[in-house]
Amino acid sequence: LLPLDFEERPVSYFVIGADWGFLPDPGVVRLYAIDDGARAFMVKEWYRTEKALQWWAELIVKLQNDYDVRAIEASVLCRCLAA
């Protein structure tokens, strides 16, 4: 849950955390707001099954266009591509 005064907090930037999942496991993308005190608050989450990597990539591009996203953590994808 977000604190009651969340909307009054100044947001410095946003970051994204992602886990694509592997069928049949679900994937998730989370958008976090980072405030002036370097505290993170999850503001949105997408949790889906049976979505291709392209669907997740398009979602992240949209989030980058809509928010000041400064970092994306998707280490699961990196490990898969490196294998």
Side-chain angles (χ1 to χ4, degrees), residues 4 6 16 29 51 74 76:
L4 294 176
F6 175 76
I16 292 173
V29 166
K51 293 294 184 187
V76 172

Side-chain angles (χ1 to χ4, degrees), residues 15-73:
V15 297
I16 292 173
D19 182 345
W20 317 117
F22 295 98
L23 292 176
D25 297 331
V28 65
V29 166
R30 291 180 175 162
L31 179 68
Y32 295 89
I34 309 300
D35 71 7
D36 291 341
R39 294 172 293 227
F41 300 88
M42 186 174 69
V43 292
K44 293 187 178 190
E45 178 183 63
W46 293 262
Y47 182 88
R48 304 285 189 278
T49 58
E50 301 181 13
K51 293 294 184 187
L53 182 57
Q54 183 68 28
W55 186 90
W56 293 109
E58 289 171 3
L59 172 62
I60 288 174
V61 167
K62 180 177 180 351
L63 293 173
Q64 287 179 297
N65 290 332
D66 293 347
Y67 299 92
D68 181 16
V69 175
R70 301 218 184 144
I72 300 169
E73 170 58 38

